Amino acid sequence: MGQRSSAPPSPRTRVRRIAELADYEQETLHAILDEAYVCHIAFHDGESIHCIPTACWRIDNHLYIHGSNGSRMVKALLGGAQASIAVTHIDGLVLAKSAFSHSMNYRSAVIYGVFEQVRGNAKKMEAMDIFMDKLASGRQHEARTGNAKELAATNVLRVSLDEAAAKVSNNGPVDKEEDLDLPVWAGVLPLKTIHGDPIGAGNEAVPTPDYVTSWAKANN
Amino acid sequence: MGQRSSAPPSPRTRVRRIAELADYEQETLHAILDEAYVCHIAFHDGESIHCIPTACWRIDNHLYIHGSNGSRMVKALLGGAQASIAVTHIDGLVLAKSAFSHSMNYRSAVIYGVFEQVRGNAKKMEAMDIFMDKLASGRQHEARTGNAKELAATNVLRVSLDEAAAKVSNNGPVDKEEDLDLPVWAGVLPLKTIHGDPIGAGNEAVPTPDYVTSWAKANN
């Protein structure tokens, strides 16, 4: 997937195209991040390099994560480790008429930076509320909010999106001229993530909230 | 997602439990890798740390990737860079009765190691054929196979699964005793990846093969 990206603008259209691209790419970047529940974070903890999946959410121009005080990743990131964060959605397999022209459709984002700690209970709670709203819109004032002990055990971290790039591939197969007449099926086998039917637990006296009834309907 | 893993076995059941766990985890590890089309690779190229998504497939005890000669990642990995590779499937959001007890269900694998180059056209082709068979079973002898030039421009790399760990969380919400009677909906909002209807391109004279007609049926 390292092969494709937007073509660089030509010198004569540089300013206009960069401006357009920048807008387009920020919108694209935000959409990719907002659709993801999890990112992968690359970091070095002084002993080894790691690639770790963790829950994420975006607020304005930052990507947020959280983790417990004891987490190796949290310790390394709060220690100033350089990080690279990737979010990837796979949209389909692209079958071409020759083996080496196969590819995938995807939307991905890679961010580079150093995480900073979100400090102060009010700011931490505000960030966690927005995370909860991403998981289940309307829920953040319903579930019991974190108490002082829970908040103290949880770190909230964020990294700027200033150094981030989005890449999108959304194409049919691209075959070489001499392969076009081969009697081989070419096209896209789409992949998509859908919502399954909610599975309740211990809700004997609880009316089903909107964010649960609407969950599986979001597929349509 | 760093918080959960299998509980360590107690000293008195150590040997038996480790043996069982090892079997179980290898099967789990393989299933997680075989279901994935893409992994994320953390590596350092001498200048910066990177987290890059790339297509992957498993053969026996190795995870395979491929990339062009010009790829920064391929150059760094063939230069002996330490790598950490993660594969993650998100199966659902777990909503609890208190904000800080929320979690996710997932299956993930993390591999540590150094990639080695698969050398020789026969071995490269064999590995690529197996990759093709993962993408579309039965297709590898149908699409035009790679020629000498295409093979020469493509690197196939593999990393051993000897240093790999799988983690699986597949639970309902776990709330604290004092929260159990709160009038808040708790349960799982499932997420799953499904196959969409194939989109053909340039197949005027080609009968639709089995791997295409069966694609969307695999959801059932």
Side-chain angles (χ1 to χ4, degrees):
Chain A
M1 325 228 324
Q3 299 95 326
R4 294 183 184 196
S5 74
S6 304
S10 65
R12 64 180 177 172
T13 56
R14 190 165 170 272
V15 174
R16 189 169 57 83
R17 286 229 179 159
I18 281 187
E20 285 178 16
L21 203 66
D23 267 8
Y24 173 72
E25 290 204 336
Q26 188 183 55
E27 232 174 73
T28 305
L29 174 70
H30 288 180
I32 291 168
L33 299 177
D34 293 349
E35 189 176 321
Y37 291 111
V38 165
C39 63
H40 285 82
I41 304 186
F43 64 97
H44 200 289
D45 67 357
E47 291 191 358
S48 179
I49 197 163
H50 301 282
C51 188
I52 303 293
T54 197
C56 66
W57 68 104
R58 183 183 67 85
I59 304 175
D60 300 329
N61 194 46
H62 288 84
L63 190 74
Y64 285 68
I65 64 169
H66 73 305
S68 72
N69 292 337
S71 153
R72 176 181 59 190
M73 180 169 72
V74 167
K75 285 179 191 169
L77 295 180
L78 289 183
Q82 292 285 335
S84 175
I85 306 101
V87 165
T88 308
H89 306 285
I90 302 299
D91 296 325
L93 311 180
V94 182
L95 306 188
K97 288 175 183 283
S98 81
F100 281 62
S101 293
H102 282 57
S103 65
M104 290 187 193
N105 282 334
Y106 60 87
R107 290 160 292 137
S108 73
V110 177
I111 305 160
Y112 293 90
V114 174
F115 279 87
E116 61 180 341
Q117 190 165 23
V118 175
R119 294 176 187 277
N121 283 353
K123 288 201 169 167
K124 284 166 74 172
M125 283 302 299
E126 187 189 351
M128 293 295 280
D129 275 356
I130 292 173
F131 179 35
M132 179 76 83
D133 205 54
K134 173 179 181 170
L135 297 178
S137 182
R139 184 176 177 77
Q140 77 271 36
H141 299 298
E142 194 177 299
R144 174 176 70 70
T145 54
N147 57 35
K149 192 176 159 194
E150 290 168 333
L151 261 176
T154 302
N155 290 277
V156 179
L157 291 77
R158 68 178 198 171
V159 64
S160 163
L161 301 182
D162 283 348
E163 203 181 336
K167 290 172 74 177
V168 174
S169 184
N170 182 22
N171 301 304
V174 179
D175 271 299
K176 292 175 182 164
E177 186 70 29
E178 65 262 33
D179 292 328
L180 287 176
D181 291 334
L182 292 176
V184 182
W185 193 89
V188 177
L189 302 181
L191 289 161
K192 52 186 172 182
T193 300
I194 65 163
H195 294 178
D197 291 331
I199 302 162
N203 300 308
E204 290 70 16
V206 186
T208 305
D210 282 350
Y211 54 79
V212 173
T213 49
S214 64
W215 176 256
K217 290 183 194 158
N219 297 326
N220 304 322
Chain B
M1 324 223 328
Q3 300 91 329
R4 292 186 183 193
S5 76
S6 305
S10 65
R12 64 182 178 172
T13 56
R14 190 164 169 272
V15 174
R16 189 169 59 81
R17 288 227 178 159
I18 281 185
E20 287 178 12
L21 201 65
D23 266 8
Y24 174 72
E25 290 203 338
Q26 188 183 54
E27 232 174 73
T28 306
L29 175 69
H30 288 180
I32 290 167
L33 299 178
D34 292 351
E35 190 177 321
Y37 292 110
V38 165
C39 64
H40 285 83
I41 303 186
F43 65 97
H44 199 289
D45 67 358
E47 291 191 0
S48 179
I49 197 163
H50 300 283
C51 188
I52 304 293
T54 197
C56 65
W57 67 103
R58 184 184 67 86
I59 305 176
D60 300 330
N61 194 47
H62 287 84
L63 189 74
Y64 286 67
I65 65 170
H66 73 306
S68 72
N69 292 337
S71 152
R72 176 181 60 190
M73 182 170 70
V74 167
K75 287 180 190 169
L77 296 179
L78 289 182
Q82 293 285 335
S84 175
I85 307 100
V87 165
T88 308
H89 305 287
I90 302 300
D91 296 325
L93 310 179
V94 183
L95 306 189
K97 289 176 184 281
S98 79
F100 281 63
S101 293
H102 281 58
S103 64
M104 290 186 194
N105 282 335
Y106 60 89
R107 291 160 292 136
S108 73
V110 178
I111 305 161
Y112 293 90
V114 174
F115 279 87
E116 60 179 344
Q117 190 165 22
V118 176
R119 293 177 188 277
N121 283 355
K123 289 201 170 168
K124 282 167 74 172
M125 282 302 299
E126 187 189 353
M128 292 295 280
D129 274 357
I130 294 174
F131 179 36
M132 181 75 84
D133 205 53
K134 173 178 181 169
L135 296 179
S137 182
R139 184 176 178 78
Q140 76 272 36
H141 300 299
E142 193 176 301
R144 175 176 69 69
T145 54
N147 58 35
K149 191 177 160 193
E150 289 168 335
L151 261 175
T154 302
N155 290 278
V156 179
L157 291 79
R158 68 177 198 171
V159 63
S160 164
L161 301 181
D162 284 349
E163 203 180 337
K167 290 173 72 177
V168 175
S169 183
N170 182 21
N171 300 304
V174 179
D175 271 300
K176 292 175 184 165
E177 187 71 30
E178 64 263 33
D179 292 328
L180 287 176
D181 292 333
L182 292 176
V184 181
W185 193 89
V188 177
L189 302 181
L191 289 161
K192 53 185 174 182
T193 300
I194 65 162
H195 294 178
D197 292 332
I199 303 161
N203 301 307
E204 291 69 15
V206 186
T208 306
D210 282 349
Y211 55 79
V212 173
T213 49
S214 63
W215 175 258
K217 290 182 191 157
N219 297 327
N220 305 319

